Amino acid sequence: MKEEQLRNDGLWKAAGTSTHQNTAEVMELERFAIHDGPGIRTVVFLQGCPLRCTWCANPESQVTGRHLMYDQKRCVGCGCCAAVCPVSAITFDGKRPQFHRADCTGCGECGRKCLQNAIRYSGKTMTVDEIMAVIMRDRDYYGSSGGGVTFSGGDPFVQFPVFVEMLRRCREYGLHTAVETCGQTSLEKIERVIPLVDLFLFDFKHVEPDKFAEYTGGDIRQILGNLECLSRTARDKVILRVPVIPGFNDDLETLCRIFDRTCSYGIKTVHLLPYHTLGLSKYEQLGREYTLSCRSLMKKEELSQYQAIGEAKGLTVQIGG
């Protein structure tokens, strides 16, 4: 889409130079993804999230910046990391390094010195041009598979100016765009990106404000307000994603209320995402505690009964994303 057409369609004011930003804080760029929207996709994982879900599988994406991740299983206890740290943020007791993360400047010297790859850093700053260069490598695959680009996180709305800039660039190249969001953002931002987004993969975790706040720190009222807006103006662009979490929303009453609310919005498709523990090791590597008590992987078969209930209400329900 050319600049002139963007102006004619009223997108330039929302997505053009007034909000232009050249750099983004990125957790990861994943090529050839097949679970984050239709076809073959490149997923841009932006750092920063307004929620603190107790089951979060990507805790390193919650806050922007470089984050030291230490895998004790790989460590041989050589102490080289402590020896090269320029700010003494690592001490060595003769067996294992101790990390004083508040003092770490993210220079990366310890990771470069570690021959066992026990230390790595998550998060880097990239320009929009650098990100777009990676995206465009697979443009032919997007066309042949019906794929495109998915912006995820964290949550892309946290870095709104650069998020909009990348959406605008993707639109100029005619790429299909999807966004994975928890929905905790301003209504104004939701409305501004609607013309630039082809698919919203929108989390719908709960309907009770107190329970939602307890487990995520968020405001379900704001999220449902944004979802209601999308249901009025772009419901055909929305797929609701429900991470099914033990002790939080895995009961029949809660899921039925989610299904009923979905029907009231006129949204047709729901993905039930079984709880998994793939992110557990990341908490250890970040020196953080995983506070959700459940440590057992949920099998897809456990959600079959809920899939049938949702389908009986007229919804298209898929297990997995």
Side-chain angles (χ1 to χ4, degrees):
M1 186 180 291
K2 302 300 182 183
E3 177 180 335
E4 181 180 357
Q5 186 176 349
L6 284 168
R7 292 185 187 279
N8 291 339
D9 290 347
L11 302 183
W12 195 257
K13 182 178 180 181
T17 54
S18 63
T19 57
H20 177 76
Q21 184 168 311
N22 286 322
T23 61
E25 301 300 317
V26 178
M27 183 184 80
E28 181 185 0
L29 297 180
E30 181 183 355
R31 298 170 64 194
F32 294 94
I34 58 173
H35 297 296
D36 301 284
I40 295 172
R41 312 189 71 80
T42 295
V43 184
V44 181
F45 291 92
L46 297 173
Q47 289 183 312
C49 185
L51 302 185
R52 294 295 180 268
C53 300
T54 54
W55 62 87
C56 180
N58 294 311
E60 75 275 32
S61 72
Q62 293 177 351
V63 180
T64 58
R66 299 192 76 196
H67 306 294
L68 187 153
M69 303 187 74
Y70 166 64
D71 188 347
Q72 184 174 320
K73 297 181 180 65
R74 291 177 174 267
C75 180
V76 297
C78 67
C80 290
C81 54
V84 299
C85 180
V87 294
S88 300
I90 307 173
T91 54
F92 184 62
D93 63 5
K95 295 181 180 180
R96 289 287 183 268
Q98 303 296 319
F99 298 92
H100 310 284
R101 296 173 185 271
D103 299 324
C104 177
T105 61
C107 70
E109 283 298 316
C110 55
R112 285 187 285 272
K113 188 67 175 179
C114 182
L115 299 179
Q116 304 300 318
N117 295 318
I119 299 174
R120 67 181 179 90
Y121 281 81
S122 175
K124 59 182 177 179
T125 301
M126 297 182 68
T127 68
V128 171
D129 286 343
E130 288 172 334
I131 295 170
M132 292 304 302
V134 175
I135 289 171
M136 295 305 290
R137 290 178 195 171
D138 301 317
R139 186 175 185 177
D140 290 343
Y141 295 105
Y142 309 148
S144 61
S145 69
V149 184
T150 299
F151 294 95
S152 186
D155 193 289
F157 283 93
V158 171
Q159 297 189 55
F160 188 69
V162 72
F163 169 44
V164 170
E165 175 65 16
M166 288 188 288
L167 285 174
R168 185 184 67 80
R169 294 277 289 274
C170 288
R171 184 63 85 223
E172 288 177 338
Y173 287 116
L175 303 180
H176 182 279
T177 57
V179 55
E180 293 182 326
T181 179
C182 69
Q184 184 84 63
T185 189
S186 70
L187 180 59
E188 177 191 6
K189 291 178 180 178
I190 291 286
E191 292 175 331
R192 287 175 66 182
V193 302
I194 288 174
L196 297 172
V197 174
D198 296 304
L199 177 64
F200 289 88
L201 300 169
F202 196 106
D203 282 2
F204 194 176
K205 299 182 175 78
H206 215 285
V207 292
E208 287 293 338
D210 291 343
K211 192 71 172 283
F212 184 79
E214 177 186 355
Y215 278 78
T216 73
D219 181 1
I220 193 63
R221 297 179 185 88
Q222 182 183 41
I223 292 170
L224 293 181
N226 290 333
L227 185 54
E228 184 176 357
C229 169
L230 284 174
S231 74
R232 293 193 308 268
T233 59
R235 69 179 60 170
D236 292 338
K237 293 184 176 184
V238 180
I239 292 176
L240 294 184
R241 286 184 155 185
V242 184
V244 183
I245 309 301
F248 172 64
N249 64 358
D250 63 332
D251 59 284
L252 179 60
E253 179 183 357
T254 299
L255 287 171
C256 280
R257 292 181 68 185
I258 289 174
F259 289 146
D260 289 341
R261 184 68 69 93
T262 301
C263 292
S264 72
Y265 290 145
I267 296 170
K268 299 298 184 183
T269 304
V270 176
H271 292 173
L272 298 178
L273 310 180
Y275 169 74
H276 63 78
T277 56
L278 299 178
L280 270 175
S281 64
K282 294 183 178 182
Y283 287 83
E284 297 176 3
Q285 293 175 35
L286 289 166
R288 291 175 53 184
E289 180 185 3
Y290 186 78
T291 57
L292 194 71
S293 59
C294 183
R295 298 291 192 277
S296 300
L297 187 72
M298 182 179 289
K299 298 179 180 179
K300 287 186 176 182
E301 296 77 35
E302 297 180 55
L303 300 182
S304 296
Q305 60 172 320
Y306 302 127
Q307 180 182 30
I309 291 171
E311 290 175 342
K313 295 176 180 291
L315 299 171
T316 299
V317 182
Q318 174 180 310
I319 298 177

